[in-house]
Amino acid sequence: PDRRGFAAGIASAAVLLTGTQASALQWSTVEKIAADPSLLAVGLDPSKLDSIRAAWKRNNLGVKAANAADYTVEFDDFASKVKKAGKAKINGEIVENPTDEQLLSAWKTEERRRAEKRAEEGLEPLTRPVRVLKEGSKKDYETRYYAPLVTNTSTPEALALGAYLKEIGAKMYGAYWCSHCYGQKQVLGAEAAEKYLEYIECDKKGANGNRDLCKERKVKGFPTWEVFGELYPGEMQLDTLADLAGFDLKTGKKSDKGQIKPLPVL
């Protein structure tokens, strides 16, 4: 590696962590620090090391929370504002210098607030761009998209049906931009969709997409349900979906009538 660039990096870390003047560093010192970065912390209050490391990571490495795939592009702006303010509101409480995980939690709360506000105002839902690592890369990112956030609350019937659909291995194929797919998730509600729905993203630009599986199963339209190995296209209400899966919404159990398949489209 370039010696000047490497030295500049070490010097930058030294200045940020210890207040040492970069011009006072010699190459022998740089080599020692490179071999053992903990030397930068020598002389600092041990009780403050964790907060210093966290601050250095935020200032130099960017925010890297536990699940980077859940970062929306707007998260960058949100994180920047939180870093500038030095605090964030999490679960109704103000948290000073939030951790990466706390920051992600705060963003998810804010993201839901924005989605619910749009729904209340009668505005169309928005797809959510995300930053994900390019395949085969450890540092380069590209943009993918999640479907809009589901805002409806799941009914007890929807939760029971969702649990049953998961039990029998039912799947829903869709695309992040598909309004009927979003409508189907709204029928199930946020809790059932998040906890039980096995959703297969078919668009190559969708986050966590599995286009090959969609092609293999010959999915022709969205949404398409796969129940007991057979494909059924179209958005469905709870009762229709329950009949298709052989589930009784009133008793919350497997239907005595069994699976009721829809009539063929003429």
Side-chain angles (χ1 to χ4, degrees), residues 93-189:
E93 298 183 358
I94 301 298
V95 177
E96 301 286 341
N97 299 316
T99 64
D100 293 346
E101 288 75 13
Q102 288 174 324
L103 194 58
L104 183 57
S105 175
W107 166 247
K108 288 186 174 180
T109 299
E110 171 63 15
E111 187 178 39
R112 176 163 293 280
R113 185 194 69 78
R114 295 182 187 186
E116 291 176 346
K117 182 179 179 182
R118 288 188 66 84
E120 290 173 0
E121 295 174 350
L123 300 174
E124 64 179 353
L126 298 176
T127 56
R128 298 172 292 154
V130 298
R131 294 186 300 113
V132 297
L133 283 171
K134 289 183 178 180
E135 187 175 353
S137 175
K138 294 183 179 180
K139 62 178 181 179
D140 295 325
Y141 286 82
E142 60 187 353
T143 301
R144 290 289 181 263
Y145 297 87
Y146 278 117
L149 200 67
V150 180
T151 56
N152 284 353
T153 300
S154 297
T155 64
E157 293 78 11
L159 286 167
L161 175 58
Y164 180 73
L165 290 171
K166 183 175 182 179
E167 179 184 332
I168 65 175
K171 302 178 180 66
M172 175 184 149
Y173 297 89
Y176 69 90
W177 44 261
C178 168
S179 60
H180 289 291
C181 301
Y182 177 70
Q184 184 69 86
K185 293 176 183 178
Q186 287 282 67
V187 168
L188 290 170

Side-chain angles (χ1 to χ4, degrees), residues 32 57 82 179 199:
K32 289 180 181 179
K57 283 176 62 179
V82 170
S179 60
Y199 171 72

Side-chain angles (χ1 to χ4, degrees), residues 157-158 160-161 238-240 242 247-253:
E157 293 78 11
L161 175 58
L238 279 185
D239 55 352
T240 304
F247 184 78
D248 191 327
L249 288 175
K250 292 183 179 179
T251 63
K253 298 178 180 180

